[in-house]
Each structure stands twice: as structure tokens, then as C-alpha cells.
Amino acid sequence: MGLLFALGFKPGCSQRVTLARFFIPALLVALVSACSGGGGKCSATSCGGCCDAEGVCQTGLTDNACGTRGTTCSPCTANETCNVGTCTRIGGTGGGTASAGGAGGAGGSAGGSAGGSVSTGGGSATGGGVATGGGSATGGGVATGGGSATGGGAAGGVPLRTVQGRRSVDHVTDTGIQTTNDAIGFAVSAQVESSGSFTQYSGSATTPGMFTLSVPSGPYYFDLFAGYHYYTLTSSPTLDLSQVYVGRADAVPATAATTLQLNVSGLHAWGPQDSLSLSSTNAGMLIDDVSDYSSDVISQGATTATVSFDYRATGEVMLSATRGDTLVLTQNTVYGAPVPYVSAVATATVTGLTQTSGQPSAVNAVFTTPAPNSLGLNVRTTLFEAMRTEVHPQAVATRHQILLYGVPGATATRGPLGGTAYLAYIPMAAGGPDLSGAFEYANPYPSSVPLVLDVAGLFTVQVQAAGAAATTLTVSASSTQLLTNVTGAVVPQLSPPRNVLVNGMAANVPVSSVGLNPTITWSAPVTGTPDRYIVTVYRLVNQGGQTVLQPTGTVRVKGTRVVMPPGLVMTGAQHTVVVSAVINGGIDVEATPFGNAVTQHRADAVVGPITP
């Protein structure tokens, strides 16, 4: 796709991106992989996490592979943990004393007989309690900023209520839906805010797929921590963390070099910008462009070819014929009218492939050129661009992208994460007329697989860490819906949040001395009615003279105000904040924070930098 690459275009983020087999909500995966800018050799431009010894991009959020922005993955030591891509010391520092596993900091002491106590800033902790800023905790309680907790209770003896939580995963396969109760493998807790100070309440797993929290009545910030904070401001007595994925539950990626050789014939005469995509909806596998991972070049005009690559480098799950996996291959070519676009022109379907980690395999794929489908579109791209100054006064409208792809099991209110290879991709530079015309594409997937249209206007904002060269943050205004629901012109259904303030101050310029828990407020959009907002915080880091964006966490909220809970704003660091208005099929964010509808509309506003 050289022509499109020369224009700076490549398919970007969408809901069809396949996700890791462990639980990380979609946003983080998008941040560390799907939007990091390319595939192939692991590097700072192709990997938002870290590169392992084999050159494979990892998330960079685990203790044995920690790092960011394409740096080499590093293991954390026994007394460290990976915190947003950086190994940080566990426990206290600064002269405290500890016994029986306790840790002390800044002159504090910890000596609970049960061990594991933590004390900071002169507080005391016993039997696994945690105390900060002069507070005291006993028997598993947590106190911050001078409060006290005993026996798991709230500061001051406030009565607690029990919040019941669950986590299940629906796996959409070619033959139906598999449901699993997912073990809660990450820390769950709650932060309760009072007058700008927070008290933490730890949760605990009960049976597989279930957990409980004890919190005071009223609102609380639920926190799922996976090296990154996923906060939700809620008052709900129940929490459902369930999600839906495309692909079977038992699919696994290769852990050793695993060669896959593709012997293809029957191609449409190969063009200079053609590409080859692979997918398996039953396994939940998707590779948009094999050339990202292979050095083999298909000759122009060829109708047969052999392409080999190390499958492990893709990070995708392996296929198993005995489990019903089918491999679908699509040849994508560039058309010149009505505007330059990419779509599937020839397809092949292969059965019988079973991959084993560390062992080579080969497939023989015979392509056919089916009669094309026609996609008539009327997209008001100028209306998406018109929101530029609402995104940020200095935002630049860069381009638009329109993607057509399949999502097995999708309904208007259920958007499984994952999907097929794209069937049509239409990039457009900003500043042109609205898009109108008919586009052709081949579709090798059964009619039971719903097609989804994803339209996005993309904007860039320059951000800069102290003493470093600036970098660009890409945000969007987007609309995603089932193709069958698209009637008439596609127009923005939602505009960005307005009048974003930090501690009451306008925040589209640098704001300092905001503290570690600033209050962020905004007004509802002019267009549309969001059912949630998502506040995303990025730390700006000077890494070798270059600005690197490190996400510290998100807050999901139904209203228009958040007090930033602990761990999002870092001492001495600059931060950029994105406040996103979202329509997510009407799913209740307070009870089902990670629920995903296929019909989604989103618009971002960028503020900062802010400094505590």
C-alpha cells in the first residue's frame, strides 16, 4: 500500500482490534499496541510497550517484561513492581524501619505481627494495615491523609456496605458463544473521596469470576489496577466487569519462533500497493498486512507466490483445525476512484491448519475473485473537521478514515472486541470536500457476520515534556455503527466536552500547582447526549530528549466532574488530559463500566499540560 503510506495513511484504531487473552480493558490495548503506528520489527514507532529479546512487542506492564515506547523489556527485581512501564520500588523509603515483612517510610514505623504493614509520613500500621500522612490502620484497614481504619472498617467508624462484583467473558465463535467465569487476576479496590482526600478500601476475590468490596454509602471510585488505573466513579451496589470477545477461550499465542509458510495461487494480478490479510473468527486471529512480518516480496503482476514469516512476531493466537478454526486470506488492492481506497479483491479459505508453538507449518491457498459488493457512502467529513477548535484551540485536523469490517456476534448494544480483516479502507486528507460515492469490496465471510462501518476524523495536538522535543497526540471524533443501520448521510452524533476546567481554571493552556488530586469539570457537548465520559491522563516524560506519552490511567464517569483519585497525577511531572464524551449504546457505566456496544460515538477534548 505504498501510495497510501506515502500520504501518511494506514488503518488506525477501531473496535475490531484483537485483544490479549488476559483481562485488560480495550482502552489500554489501544494505547500500547493498536495505535502505536505499524507492525513488523519492534521499535519505538511500532510498539507502545517494550521489545523483548526476540524483537516481539510486549505490553510492558508486567514485572518480567517492563518498559515503554519500544525500549528493551526489563525484569523488575524482587522488591519492585512494574508501574505503567517503569519498575518502581515496593514499600517505603526514607529511613523507616520494618519487621515481619512491614515497610516504613519518611520516619514512620511498621511492626505488625502479621507482617505486610506499610506506613508513610509518620503513621503507624499493624497486621497488614496501610497508613499514609499520619493516619493509623489496624487489621487490614487503610487510611490516608490523617484518617484511621480498624479491622477493615472505615475511618471514624462509618458503617460499610458490601458491593458485589462479577467478571465473565463471552467468547463468540463460529458455532456459538462460550462463557467463562474469569478469575480476577488484578487488584480491585475503591477510593472514597472527602474534601479532596481519599481513603482506600481493598476488595477480595471470592469464587471464580466474583469479588466483593466493603465501602461506605455514597459514591466511590472503583479501581481495577493492571499496571494502570481503571477508575469508575459509581454508587452502584453491583459491578459487572464482563466483556465479549471474538474467538474461542482456549486459543493461545506461540511462545517460540513458529514459521508459517503461505503458498498462494489464483491471485488477482499483484499490484505495487497490494497487501495480504489473514483472519480466523473462530480463533480470534487477525493480521491486517502480512508484509509487516515477512521480508518476502510478491512480484508485480504475479498470480502465485510463497510468503513465510515468524508467526510469533504477530502476537496472534495459533489456529487448530480440531477446534474448528478456518483461515481466511484476502488480497487487498488500491482503487483510484471515487477517491483512492483499499479493499479486498480476491479471497481464499483454508481448513486443516493446526499450528504448534516452535514448529513450522504451511498452507496452500487457492484464491478466487468473487463478484464485488457495492458500498454507497455519504460521509460529511467537513462536519467532523469543524469540531477542530472544540478538540483544542491548537488542534490540527489531519485526516479521516473510514473502515468496513465484520464483527461476529455484534448487535447494536453488544460490540465484541475483535473482528475480521478490513474489507474496505478509505483514507482522506483533511481540507477536502465531503465523501460521496460507491466503493467495491469482496466479502469472504458468511452473511451471519454483521458488517460495521467505522468513521473517524483525526486530529493532532502538540505536547511537550520539559526540555524535550514535542510529539503529537492523536485524538478523534468518531462514529461506529452496524452497516445495516447506516441510512442517509453519516454525520457526527457527538461533539467534544466544552469548558474543561482544572480547579476552576481554564485548562487549554499550561496550568501549574494543581495538586495530586485536582478537580476537573466540564460542560456537556453542544451535539449529542453522552451516556459516559472517559478522562484519560498521560504523563509527559523526557526520554532521551524526546517527549514520550505514558498513560497513567482513566476515570469513567456519568457526570461532568471528577476529583482525580490517587495514582493518575504524579509528583513533579507534567500531564496531558483527554476528556472524551462517549455514547456507548446506553450501557450504564456505573454498573457495567467495561461494557462495549457496537454502536458508539465519541469526541475528544485535550487539555493541559497540568503540573501538580
Side-chain angles (χ1 to χ4, degrees):
M1 291 187 281
L3 171 65
L4 299 178
F5 290 172
L7 294 172
F9 297 133
K10 188 179 175 87
C13 299
S14 72
Q15 292 178 194
R16 66 186 180 82
V17 175
T18 53
L19 300 184
R21 290 291 160 169
F22 48 87
F23 173 59
I24 294 182
L27 177 63
L28 177 58
V29 177
L31 289 171
V32 301
S33 60
C35 296
S36 54
K41 181 176 176 60
C42 187
S43 66
T45 57
S46 67
C47 182
C50 63
C51 302
D52 69 14
E54 302 296 327
V56 178
C57 181
Q58 305 294 337
T59 64
L61 300 174
T62 64
D63 289 348
N64 62 349
C66 192
T68 63
R69 203 65 176 177
T71 57
T72 300
C73 295
S74 300
C76 298
T77 64
N79 63 340
E80 293 179 326
T81 188
C82 187
N83 183 16
V84 198
T86 302
C87 290
T88 55
R89 184 177 177 83
I90 300 171
T93 57
T97 61
S99 62
S109 63
S113 59
S117 305
V118 181
S119 175
T120 306
S124 62
T126 305
V130 179
T132 305
S136 63
T138 305
V142 181
T144 305
S148 63
T150 303
V158 176
L160 301 182
R161 61 187 173 114
T162 298
V163 174
Q164 300 286 348
R166 66 182 296 268
R167 157 74 178 165
S168 67
V169 181
D170 284 348
H171 297 269
V172 179
T173 71
D174 291 350
T175 56
I177 295 178
Q178 304 170 350
T179 300
T180 60
N181 289 320
D182 193 48
I184 307 299
F186 299 99
V188 292
S189 62
Q191 296 279 354
V192 176
E193 183 261 338
S194 177
S195 302
S197 295
F198 285 85
T199 302
Q200 184 185 40
Y201 299 85
S202 297
S204 60
T206 52
T207 59
M210 304 295 292
F211 65 92
T212 60
L213 283 167
S214 294
V215 297
S217 61
Y220 60 95
Y221 289 83
F222 170 71
D223 182 20
L224 186 146
F225 182 77
Y228 178 98
H229 291 280
Y230 299 95
Y231 283 111
T232 301
L233 179 56
T234 176
S235 298
S236 178
T238 61
L239 292 170
D240 188 349
L241 310 186
S242 299
Q243 288 183 298
V244 184
Y245 292 81
V246 173
R248 53 188 173 84
D250 58 350
V252 295
T255 57
T258 305
T259 299
L260 177 60
Q261 179 175 303
L262 306 173
N263 304 312
V264 299
S265 61
L267 293 168
H268 184 270
W270 194 261
Q273 294 128 14
D274 285 10
S275 63
L276 195 62
S277 299
L278 309 180
S279 66
S280 174
T281 53
N282 195 64
M285 181 275 285
L286 171 61
I287 302 170
D288 266 334
D289 190 347
V290 171
S291 68
D292 284 340
Y293 307 98
S294 176
S295 59
D296 295 331
V297 177
I298 301 178
S299 301
Q300 187 169 341
T303 57
T304 63
T306 297
V307 177
S308 297
F309 61 99
D310 181 5
Y311 191 85
R312 183 181 64 159
T314 70
E316 294 294 331
V317 297
M318 297 181 292
L319 273 61
S320 171
T322 59
R323 288 174 171 80
D325 298 339
T326 297
L327 176 64
V328 176
L329 303 88
T330 55
Q331 177 189 354
N332 310 301
T333 195
V334 176
Y335 293 90
V339 297
Y341 72 100
V342 180
S343 74
V345 63
T347 68
T349 300
V350 176
T351 58
L353 172 62
T354 294
Q355 295 173 284
T356 302
S357 183
Q359 298 183 19
S361 56
V363 297
N364 298 316
V366 180
F367 279 73
T368 60
T369 305
N373 298 280
S374 181
L375 173 66
L377 288 178
N378 180 1
V379 181
R380 302 293 175 83
T381 55
T382 54
L383 296 181
F384 285 86
E385 283 183 44
M387 293 186 283
R388 179 189 64 80
T389 56
E390 296 178 73
V391 172
H392 188 277
Q394 278 76 53
V396 176
T398 57
R399 69 183 193 269
H400 305 273
Q401 67 173 30
I402 296 92
L403 280 168
L404 179 69
Y405 53 94
V407 181
T411 66
T413 57
R414 183 178 67 186
L417 298 168
T420 72
Y422 63 83
L423 302 176
Y425 165 56
I426 308 166
M428 295 178 61
D434 292 332
L435 175 67
S436 181
F439 302 83
E440 294 185 345
Y441 66 95
N443 182 6
Y445 304 100
S447 58
S448 59
V449 176
L451 299 185
V452 171
L453 185 70
D454 192 337
V455 176
L458 304 181
F459 306 87
T460 58
V461 178
Q462 293 289 305
V463 294
Q464 186 173 15
T471 192
T472 55
L473 171 65
T474 300
V475 293
S476 69
S478 62
S479 176
T480 303
Q481 53 190 316
L482 291 168
L483 184 61
T484 54
N485 291 343
V486 178
T487 58
V490 178
V491 300
Q493 299 297 307
L494 199 58
S495 58
R498 300 173 298 129
N499 306 322
V500 182
L501 304 177
V502 178
N503 291 345
M505 297 177 286
N508 53 16
V509 295
V511 181
S512 59
S513 301
V514 301
L516 296 177
N517 308 110
T519 299
I520 299 182
T521 59
W522 56 91
S523 301
V526 171
T527 301
T529 304
D531 54 40
R532 68 182 61 195
Y533 297 90
I534 302 176
V535 181
T536 306
V537 184
Y538 299 88
R539 180 172 56 178
L540 305 180
V541 178
N542 183 338
Q543 192 171 92
Q546 299 296 317
T547 298
V548 174
L549 288 160
Q550 292 185 348
T552 61
T554 61
V555 183
R556 288 165 167 79
V557 60
K558 188 176 291 185
T560 57
R561 176 186 183 273
V562 297
V563 179
M564 300 299 273
L568 300 183
V569 178
M570 307 292 189
T571 301
Q574 295 173 294
H575 304 77
T576 290
V577 179
V578 179
V579 182
S580 306
V582 181
I583 297 175
N584 186 35
I587 296 174
D588 184 0
V589 66
E590 293 198 8
T592 313
F594 304 125
N596 196 51
V598 76
T599 300
Q600 285 196 17
H601 309 283
R602 179 179 179 130
D604 301 328
V606 180
V607 296
I610 63 173
T611 308

